[in-house]
Amino acid sequence: MGMPIICPTVTAFDTHEYRMQMERLEPFATRVHIDLMDGKFAPTTSPGLEQVWWPEKFTADIHLMYQDPMAEIDQLIYLKPNLVIIHQEAAVNHREFADKLRSHGIKAGLALLPTTLVEQARETILSFDHVLIFSGDLGKHGGVTDVSLLPKILQIKQYQPNIEVGWDGGVNDQNAATLIDSGVDVLNVGGFIQKADDPAAAYAKLKAIN
């Protein structure tokens, strides 16, 4: 992989908040991670896929915290993001979902909750382009970087040496170097950027760690 990617996160609970967060990132970001929640798999609810948008210049990843991702496949294909991340723990035929995305030129990502072992997802990982190590709270702002999850990175890359590995949860200027050194390719960053007095400066600070 190349240099790690700093990917600001949008985690919104209504369309107004969604627009505010997206517009906050527009002046400086190039890739964005959009959290979407169904109120079932995740306890909170976000705007629906029919309300999702992003500036044309962005590379957009959609993190779908849904119990039934396949029910949304047509709308996802219509939106044509760079990547769609679903959960290992969701009720879906993971390989079928990934194959359908790929047939439309969309990459497929697999997220693992903290309690899910890499070994449990070993066969599934082989069908995906990206694995997200999730260290946060489903559908909520914030989160902490649980360093006990770092060994998952090596395990994943033993199964799929060239797979892209993302991290979601508590990324900031104090731990980004540790995550990068441990093999994370994409740092999904929420509060450190969105809640900063100067979001562009916070983003630049993380980029400089690369």
Side-chain angles (χ1 to χ4, degrees):
M1 300 300 297
M3 295 296 285
I5 296 163
I6 307 302
C7 188
T9 298
V10 171
T11 308
F13 307 111
D14 59 55
T15 55
H16 175 69
E17 188 178 17
Y18 183 93
R19 177 172 292 279
M20 285 184 62
Q21 290 189 27
M22 194 65 77
E23 289 179 350
R24 191 175 294 133
L25 302 177
E26 189 169 3
F28 57 86
T30 57
R31 181 168 170 177
V32 64
H33 178 97
I34 302 169
D35 284 331
L36 297 179
M37 299 80 71
D38 64 356
K40 298 173 185 176
F41 185 84
T44 53
T45 304
S46 65
L49 275 166
E50 69 282 356
Q51 297 168 306
V52 166
W53 60 273
W54 54 84
E56 189 174 346
K57 68 172 187 172
F58 279 0
T59 297
D61 301 342
I62 293 177
H63 179 191
L64 201 65
M65 291 176 262
Y66 276 40
Q67 187 64 33
D68 182 13
M70 190 60 82
E72 310 297 332
I73 192 76
D74 291 339
Q75 184 66 16
L76 289 164
I77 290 167
Y78 172 77
L79 286 170
K80 198 85 185 265
N82 166 62
L83 167 71
V84 176
I85 301 167
I86 61 171
H87 276 263
Q88 166 69 17
E89 306 82 10
V92 65
N93 182 319
H94 292 82
R95 180 176 294 179
E96 180 185 353
F97 187 90
D99 286 348
K100 191 155 188 180
L101 287 179
R102 282 176 164 161
S103 72
H104 290 272
I106 302 168
K107 290 187 285 187
L110 184 72
L112 307 180
L113 291 178
T115 55
T116 299
L117 303 177
V118 173
E119 182 62 33
Q120 294 173 266
R122 180 175 182 173
E123 292 303 316
T124 311
I125 287 169
L126 299 178
S127 299
F128 282 75
D129 307 292
H130 175 107
V131 177
L132 178 68
I133 299 173
F134 190 78
S135 178
D137 293 321
L138 278 175
K140 298 180 182 178
H141 291 291
V144 296
T145 293
D146 182 353
V147 294
S148 73
L149 301 177
L150 290 175
K152 287 186 174 184
I153 301 166
L154 180 59
Q155 293 173 312
I156 290 163
K157 293 200 172 184
Q158 285 175 336
Y159 297 147
Q160 281 276 60
N162 297 318
I163 202 163
E164 184 179 74
V165 174
W167 184 281
D168 189 341
V171 179
N172 58 42
D173 59 337
Q174 300 300 306
N175 57 35
T178 297
L179 294 167
I180 292 167
D181 290 344
S182 298
V184 175
D185 304 302
V186 181
L187 296 175
N188 298 296
V189 189
F192 183 75
I193 292 174
Q194 289 283 4
K195 296 179 182 179
D197 291 336
D198 186 342
Y203 177 79
K205 193 169 189 179
L206 293 175
K207 290 281 287 182
I209 294 171
N210 295 352

